[in-house]
């Protein structure tokens, strides 16, 4: 596969040159003050990206999956009940992880293509008069279906039921790309990783933890060692880490946050919205549909495109990789073969997106799907022409 082409999978994402240079750094003694100087700005920066004033930020050498595990094992005990909805492969995997840790997961089965069912959550919480549910788990952006959920509505469900359960949100494919308001939404644990919105290589599990969630740590009985928040916070008090920290990624994280903040978070979110909207115009021009069932559910970081019945969508991904050296995402789980995914998050511009749309058209034409070359590109071009300049593009930023 050509390394010249951008990738269009929803993580890992394209790594900008600036971040590749930032992680290319000689080893340092992580017990020296040099590490502490690198560490604190990264922690403070993540808190700002989460739009939180009070979250404790914790970084582990792991990925988003490790952050799921750290969140539940540090705050819950085997047998504890948690409430979750399954509407895609990522919400499914988090549920599975909880069960393997001996948690009792009440699952609300939700059609894939829908988002977090706030009304059903509210009913379940109201029915739980003895408050046995300790936490509600929500996947903010279901990367498998390209569906974004309304976390504020889940918070309202908890409040309407006057239920004290903690709210844990997987923001792995939303944080740093789409609006995520930890404090305003009353999120108790926010979860992400380094290789999506932060545009870095995989290797950091990133968590924001509310004071209420931290209070739950002392009584939680799930076994944990590597991921123990207590060890992390104890060693941090002296600028350290409980084991060898992934120094290069932590350094990269600070630089990534600097890039995001130089652009400005509202502009970052707007850029993702614009790019996604162009992709959606292209999908409509192809006569195809998204897996997400309604515009309010459309993700600005990944579009999951349904293919005509009887056609195996995986062929699109394989052919794009083999013939054109371009990566798209396959369908996962229940939607395997039914859709392919265009990831458009992180280091992405409308010009890059046009190349992905053009490639998808070539692939679909090669495979005999009734897609006219240029149709989706033209629809996206019209949208990008009309909306460009709403925010500074990456190119003009670099020139400034
Ligand atoms: C990518 C992703 C994960 C898993 O993250 P890993 O870093 O691969 O462990 C979890 N949740 C969502 C929504 C994701 O997109």
């Amino acid at each position: 596969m050509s390394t010249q082409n951008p990738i269009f999978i929803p993580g890992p994402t394209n790594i900008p040159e600036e971040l590749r240079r930032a992680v290319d750094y000689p080893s340092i003694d992580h017990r020296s003050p040099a590490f502490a100087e690198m560490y604190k700005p990264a922690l403070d920066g993540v808190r700002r990206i989460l739009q939180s004033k009070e979250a404790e930020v914790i970084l582990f050498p792991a990925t988003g999956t490790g952050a799921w595990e750290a969140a539940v094992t540090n705050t819950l005990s085997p047998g504890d009940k948690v409430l979750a909805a399954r509407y895609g492969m990522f919400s499914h995997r988090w549920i599975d992880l909880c069960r393997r840790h001996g948690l009792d997961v009440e699952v609300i089965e939700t059609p894939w293509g829908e988002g977090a069912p706030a009304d059903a959550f509210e009913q379940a919480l109201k029915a739980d008069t003895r408050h046995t549910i300790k936490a509600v788990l929500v996947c903010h952006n279901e990367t498998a279906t390209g569906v974004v959920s309304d976390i504020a509505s889940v918070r309202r469900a908890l409040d309407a039921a006057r239920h004290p359960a903690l709210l844990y949100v997987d923001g792995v494919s939303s944080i740093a790309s789409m609006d995520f308001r930890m404090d305003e939404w009353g999120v108790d644990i926010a979860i992400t990783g380094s290789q999506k919105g932060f545009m870095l290589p995989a290797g950091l599990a990133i968590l924001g933890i509310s004071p209420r969630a931290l209070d739950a740590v002392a009584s939680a009985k799930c076994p944990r060692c590597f991921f123990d928040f207590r060890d992390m916070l104890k060693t941090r008090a002296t600028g350290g880490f409980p084991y060898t920290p992934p120094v290069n990624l932590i350094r990269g994280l600070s630089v990534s946050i600097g890039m995001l903040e130089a652009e400005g978070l509202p502009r970052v979110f707007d850029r993702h919205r614009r790019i996604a909207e162009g992709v959606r115009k292209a999908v409509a021009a192809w006569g195809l549909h998204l897996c997400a069932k309604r515009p309010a559910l459309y993700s600005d970081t990944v579009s999951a495109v349904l293919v005509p019945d009887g056609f195996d969508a995986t062929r699109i991904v394989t052919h794009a990789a083999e013939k054109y050296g371009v990566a798209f995402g396959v369908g996962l789980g229940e939607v395997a073969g039914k859709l392919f995914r265009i990831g458009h998050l992180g280091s992405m511009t409308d010009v890059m997106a046009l190349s992905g749309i053009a490639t998808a058209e070539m692939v679909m034409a090669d495979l005999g799907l009734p897609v006219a070359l240029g149709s989706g590109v033209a629809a996206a071009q019209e949208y990008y022409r009309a909306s460009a300049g709403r925010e500074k593009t990456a190119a003009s930023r670099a020139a400034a």
Side-chain angles (χ1 to χ4, degrees), residues 329-376:
V330 294
L332 300 170
E334 214 176 89
V335 289
K338 295 184 181 158
L339 57 79
F340 72 102
R341 294 174 299 149
I342 305 176
H344 34 75
L345 74 160
S347 180
M348 184 63 57
T349 64
D350 43 11
V351 170
M352 288 162 82
L354 285 170
S355 73
I357 295 166
T359 308
E361 279 177 358
M362 292 194 287
V363 170
M364 289 189 283
D366 288 350
L367 297 176
L369 286 172
V371 164
L373 289 180
S375 58

Side-chain angles (χ1 to χ4, degrees), residues 10-11 63-66 68 90 93 139 141-143 170-173 193 195-196 202:
T63 65
T65 306
W68 282 341
F90 292 91
R93 283 188 186 150
C139 183
N141 189 72
E142 178 48 83
T143 318
D170 170 344
V172 181
S173 61
Q195 81 276 22
K196 299 196 183 174

Side-chain angles (χ1 to χ4, degrees), residues 14 84 105 113 148 171 178 188 213 218 221 233 248 262 266 270 287 307 309 311 317 327 350:
N14 297 290
V105 191
V148 65
M178 290 192 280
D188 290 295
K221 293 194 177 57
L233 295 175
N248 300 54
D270 192 51
V307 298
D309 275 349
F311 185 88
V317 177
D350 43 11

Side-chain angles (χ1 to χ4, degrees), residues 28-366:
I28 62 160
D29 174 7
H30 58 277
R31 297 182 204 285
S32 73
F35 175 65
E37 279 163 31
M38 224 175 255
Y39 192 24
K40 188 167 184 312
L43 301 173
D44 292 342
V46 169
R47 191 177 303 108
R48 292 192 302 274
I49 298 292
L50 297 174
Q51 304 187 62
S52 176
K53 291 253 180 300
E54 52 182 18
E56 188 73 71
V57 174
I58 287 186
L59 310 175
F60 289 113
T63 65
T65 306
W68 282 341
E69 181 155 314
V72 299
T73 56
N74 275 282
T75 57
L76 299 166
S77 303
D80 275 356
K81 192 162 173 179
V82 300
L83 178 64
R86 176 170 21 226
Y87 41 83
M89 201 58 185
F90 292 91
S91 42
H92 164 73
R93 283 188 186 150
W94 200 7
I95 289 165
D96 177 55
L97 180 145
C98 288
R99 288 190 164 145
R100 293 203 225 172
H101 278 288
L103 299 172
D104 172 13
V105 191
E106 180 176 340
V107 179
I108 299 177
E109 297 294 347
T110 306
W112 290 33
E114 292 283 352
D119 292 346
F121 279 148
E122 185 174 330
Q123 274 178 23
L125 291 162
K126 278 185 171 157
D128 179 38
T129 49
R130 288 175 28 246
H131 294 170
T132 59
I133 296 170
K134 298 297 174 209
V136 179
L137 275 46
V138 186
C139 183
H140 182 208
N141 189 72
E142 178 48 83
T143 318
T145 57
V147 165
V148 65
S149 287
D150 179 2
I151 303 301
S153 75
V154 177
R155 167 45 63 194
R156 284 195 296 276
L158 277 150
D159 293 348
R162 297 173 184 277
H163 199 293
L166 296 162
L167 175 59
Y168 297 172
V169 180
D170 170 344
V172 181
S173 61
S174 59
I175 288 168
S177 307
M178 290 192 280
D179 203 3
F180 189 97
R181 306 182 181 196
M182 180 163 179
D183 288 1
E184 187 181 316
W185 298 341
V187 174
D188 290 295
I189 301 189
I191 287 165
T192 189
S194 49
Q195 81 276 22
K196 299 196 183 174
F198 287 111
M199 309 169 281
L200 290 164
L204 280 181
I206 301 170
L207 297 104
I209 303 144
S210 76
R212 273 191 73 216
L214 278 181
D215 285 345
V217 171
S219 57
K221 293 194 177 57
C222 279
R224 70 266 195 198
C225 170
F226 185 80
F227 286 132
D228 200 319
F229 288 174
R230 292 166 298 190
D231 296 336
M232 187 57 82
L233 295 175
K234 201 165 97 196
T235 49
R236 177 182 300 173
T238 55
F241 215 79
Y243 30 74
T244 313
V247 169
N248 300 54
L249 286 171
I250 291 172
R251 182 171 196 268
L253 185 58
S254 288
V255 178
S256 164
I257 292 163
M259 289 173 70
L260 292 163
E261 293 187 326
E263 184 176 356
L265 274 192
R267 277 186 174 153
V268 170
F269 304 150
D270 192 51
R271 170 167 57 82
H272 282 84
R273 158 115 338 148
R274 280 188 60 252
I275 291 171
E277 192 55 34
V279 171
R280 293 190 282 259
K281 300 274 189 225
V283 172
W286 295 333
L288 298 177
H289 299 281
L290 294 176
C291 181
K293 301 223 190 265
R294 291 180 298 287
L297 300 173
Y298 292 169
S299 164
D300 288 336
T301 59
V302 53
S303 295
V305 184
L306 293 166
V307 298
D309 275 349
F311 185 88
D312 178 8
T314 305
R315 290 175 62 204
I316 293 176
V317 177
T318 308
H319 188 81
E322 286 176 353
K323 184 164 175 190
Y324 300 109
V326 169
F328 295 107
V330 294
L332 300 170
E334 214 176 89
V335 289
K338 295 184 181 158
L339 57 79
F340 72 102
R341 294 174 299 149
I342 305 176
H344 34 75
L345 74 160
S347 180
M348 184 63 57
T349 64
D350 43 11
V351 170
M352 288 162 82
L354 285 170
S355 73
I357 295 166
T359 308
E361 279 177 358
M362 292 194 287
V363 170
M364 289 189 283
D366 288 350

